[in-house]
Amino acid sequence: MTATINRCAFALLALIMLAACSEEGRQHAGDEALAAAEVDAPESRMRDHPETGEKLARRQVLVRGNASEPASLDPHLVEDTVGGAIVVDLFEGLTRSGPNGDTEPALARSWSSSDNNLTWTFRLREDGRWSDGTTVTAHDFVYGWRRAVDPEVGSNYAYYIESAGVENAAEIITGEKEPEALGVRAIDDFTFEVTLAQPITYLPDMTVHYTMFPAPREAIETHGPDWTKPGNMVSNGAYLLDTWHLGEKLVAARNPHYRENNRTIIDRVVYVPIESSSAELQRYASGELHMTSTVPVSQMVRLKKERPDELVMAPSIATYMYAFNVNRPPFDDVRVRRALTYAIDRNLIVNYITRGGQMPAFSLTPGYVSDFDFQQPEYGTWSQPERDEAARRELEKAGYTEDNPLAFELLYNTDESHKALAIVVSQMWKEKLGAKVTISNLEWKTFLSEKQAGNYEMARFGWKGDYNEASTFLTLLTTDSGNNDGGWGNVEYDQLLQDARSAEDPNPYYVQAEEILWQEFPVAPVYFNTTVALVSPVLKGYPENNPRNIIYSKDMYITAD
């Protein structure tokens, strides 16, 4: 064990030396960010904040680090936090996430349920507008939800509508029924009704997610796949798509038709795709960004000391893990999956590597998810030496020895933090199990496409809950989940989650489902994540206490330097 810690510490030290970021001076984003963005913006309509009285910057241009280039801006095709961060600014659904993660009304002014939660009725605001000035109606939600489950659209989040229990969703996804059979209808222009096959109590929480956003039918049918390009896109959020220069920046402009436009202070939002977290940190340190998407793990100690007031470490319902492709050797053998999962020293990782308030994870679902009856898997109660010994036994049973070492490739998307963790974890597997691990990286869009196609043996995997309920994690690994690309499936597991939807108390089903996961090990959990970012002192309104980590630009504003 000592040798492992020493080698891991050496690997980390090497990374710190390579990734270390020097700062010349100490700048706060203000005019520097505006100049770096090279974006024309009008002077702010307001000189002072209408509620706080703070002096506002003369030009309200928010420059955000956004990790990488979005794979899509189509709400029904987006499947990652990169595209999601932009889409929640461009579009608006029935509900939204409040600053503390609570579900708040958005386009729905109210909602109610009947028939023991089998029928939900959402009453829409009448002042919702698309960016072309036309009214957002219940028919736009009907079209959007049908589109989300339409096999011809090919959304990887189609299962999300099914997991909400919407009537006929499963049959539509498999092609047995037409999208028009989905259990949604417009009673009138401003009354949207959802019929469920099985009742759930948290449907309004689920409608925060972009898969349940409305869709602009005319723009989509006119432009086809090009409807998300500047000049073609019609959206209904606080911002509209202005320009998109691939690899450089995407700019959103305040939507004059938005229902709360008079309360929106930020005029322009610039999303900068920066895959390297060290490069993002450097640009933040030089004042070119108002906020980062993440922070390099190699810089956490220094930043806690030098920028404590700018470093945000917010709670998050999210799990960092590695996914096994169970259709490929050696991970078609559960003993191999079990051995590698056991051998990860999670305490070492969160205490010495990530150092951002993360918690060791031995299960898929975080124990602090709302109303979840958390049960620690048995292997999570052992000491690390006990897990290591069990790992060696499992690998021997699978036929891997010093003469026949385990060898595989671990794939991750380009980022210093993912690289640091991959190096340390692979070193653990080498020291404890004699495994020969090749670590490889791909840029984000290529990584996503390769992972979706199942072109990997083991891959980095992260999941942020779409709503605050255990099913947002557990449905991820159902056989028909569009995000379950590791190929694992279990009929009993699927049935438990199906039964949980109509249960008065779903927790017993969730507990049994988790128990199956830790017999089968389709993924190797590492830690429950936190949101770690740098936020400039001039940027106000950042939701530091939102465990969903949904950041709406319209809720923020920039104060004068």
Side-chain angles (χ1 to χ4, degrees), residues 69-226:
E69 198 72 60
S72 176
L73 294 180
D74 186 326
H76 300 123
L77 293 179
V78 169
E79 57 184 290
D80 55 29
T81 55
V82 175
I86 302 172
V87 163
V88 297
D89 278 349
L90 299 177
F91 293 85
E92 186 171 66
L94 295 167
T95 58
R96 55 163 267 151
S97 179
N100 296 314
D102 300 328
T103 298
E104 299 180 343
L107 274 175
R109 55 183 172 83
S110 66
W111 52 84
S112 60
S113 64
S114 57
D115 302 329
N116 293 320
N117 294 318
L118 279 172
T119 303
W120 285 83
T121 304
F122 295 86
R123 294 164 184 83
L124 306 188
R125 301 171 57 98
E126 297 186 14
D127 59 353
R129 296 288 183 274
W130 291 103
S131 55
D132 62 2
T134 57
T135 301
V136 180
T137 70
H139 302 283
D140 298 318
F141 281 95
V142 171
Y143 176 69
W145 286 36
R146 286 175 177 173
R147 186 170 181 267
V149 295
D150 188 343
E152 291 191 10
V153 174
S155 171
N156 278 328
Y157 256 112
Y159 79 93
Y160 189 81
I161 305 290
E162 180 189 355
S163 67
V166 182
E167 189 176 64
N168 295 325
E171 292 83 357
I172 296 168
I173 292 169
T174 57
E176 298 170 45
K177 292 185 177 181
E178 294 298 315
E180 289 71 26
L182 190 67
V184 294
R185 69 178 181 128
I187 294 178
D188 56 44
D189 282 352
F190 301 105
T191 309
F192 176 59
E193 184 183 86
V194 182
T195 301
L196 306 182
Q198 294 175 310
I200 62 171
T201 60
Y202 49 87
L203 182 64
D205 296 325
M206 295 188 72
T207 64
V208 170
H209 196 263
Y210 42 75
T211 301
M212 292 182 167
F213 282 0
R217 183 170 193 158
E218 184 176 346
I220 293 171
E221 292 183 348
T222 299
H223 300 289
D226 291 336

Side-chain angles (χ1 to χ4, degrees), residues 163-423:
S163 67
V166 182
E167 189 176 64
N168 295 325
E171 292 83 357
I172 296 168
I173 292 169
T174 57
E176 298 170 45
K177 292 185 177 181
E178 294 298 315
E180 289 71 26
L182 190 67
V184 294
R185 69 178 181 128
I187 294 178
D188 56 44
D189 282 352
F190 301 105
T191 309
F192 176 59
E193 184 183 86
V194 182
T195 301
L196 306 182
Q198 294 175 310
I200 62 171
T201 60
Y202 49 87
L203 182 64
D205 296 325
M206 295 188 72
T207 64
V208 170
H209 196 263
Y210 42 75
T211 301
M212 292 182 167
F213 282 0
R217 183 170 193 158
E218 184 176 346
I220 293 171
E221 292 183 348
T222 299
H223 300 289
D226 291 336
W227 82 272
T228 56
K229 291 184 176 180
N232 296 343
M233 176 178 275
V234 174
S235 61
N236 70 316
Y239 298 92
L240 52 85
L241 181 60
D242 185 36
T243 58
W244 187 357
H245 301 287
L246 291 175
E248 181 186 349
K249 63 188 174 187
L250 183 150
V251 180
R254 190 160 47 83
N255 178 5
H257 296 290
Y258 179 60
R259 59 184 180 82
E260 291 188 336
N261 179 51
N262 63 332
R263 297 176 57 188
T264 304
I265 298 177
I266 298 290
D267 280 307
R268 300 285 187 275
V269 187
V270 182
Y271 309 86
V272 186
I274 311 172
E275 290 201 350
S276 165
S277 55
S278 289
E280 186 181 49
L281 173 56
Q282 288 176 329
R283 293 184 67 170
Y284 175 86
S286 67
E288 295 180 22
L289 301 176
H290 291 103
M291 54 182 276
T292 67
S293 63
T294 187
V295 171
V297 296
S298 61
Q299 302 298 316
M300 283 298 296
V301 172
R302 180 177 66 79
L303 292 170
K304 285 180 181 180
K305 179 180 178 181
E306 297 179 4
R307 295 179 180 263
D309 296 334
E310 299 168 58
L311 186 63
V312 174
M313 293 188 292
S316 180
I317 46 174
T319 305
Y320 192 106
M321 56 193 140
Y322 290 110
F324 300 110
N325 187 337
V326 303
N327 293 321
R328 287 192 179 188
F331 300 124
D332 54 348
D333 189 330
V334 68
R335 295 170 296 187
V336 175
R337 305 196 298 267
R338 189 179 295 128
L340 293 175
T341 303
Y342 286 173
I344 299 172
D345 189 337
R346 295 156 177 82
N347 284 308
L348 185 150
I349 288 169
V350 300
N351 291 329
Y352 299 101
I353 309 300
T354 58
R355 292 179 286 197
Q358 295 85 357
M359 297 171 57
F362 299 94
S363 62
L364 175 62
T365 310
Y368 45 84
V369 164
S370 180
D371 298 324
F372 178 50
D373 183 16
F374 177 73
Q375 304 287 325
Q376 186 76 277
E378 183 184 2
Y379 83 98
T381 66
W382 304 341
S383 68
Q384 190 57 48
E386 288 174 324
R387 282 191 286 270
D388 293 342
E389 183 57 37
R392 286 187 281 269
R393 289 197 302 268
E394 290 295 321
L395 208 58
E396 272 189 40
K397 291 177 188 175
Y400 294 98
T401 63
E402 188 175 342
D403 295 329
N404 180 35
L406 177 68
F408 61 90
E409 180 184 52
L410 169 59
L411 187 67
Y412 66 94
N413 57 289
T414 304
D415 179 86
E416 288 92 337
S417 299
H418 299 326
K419 179 180 180 180
L421 194 59
I423 289 175

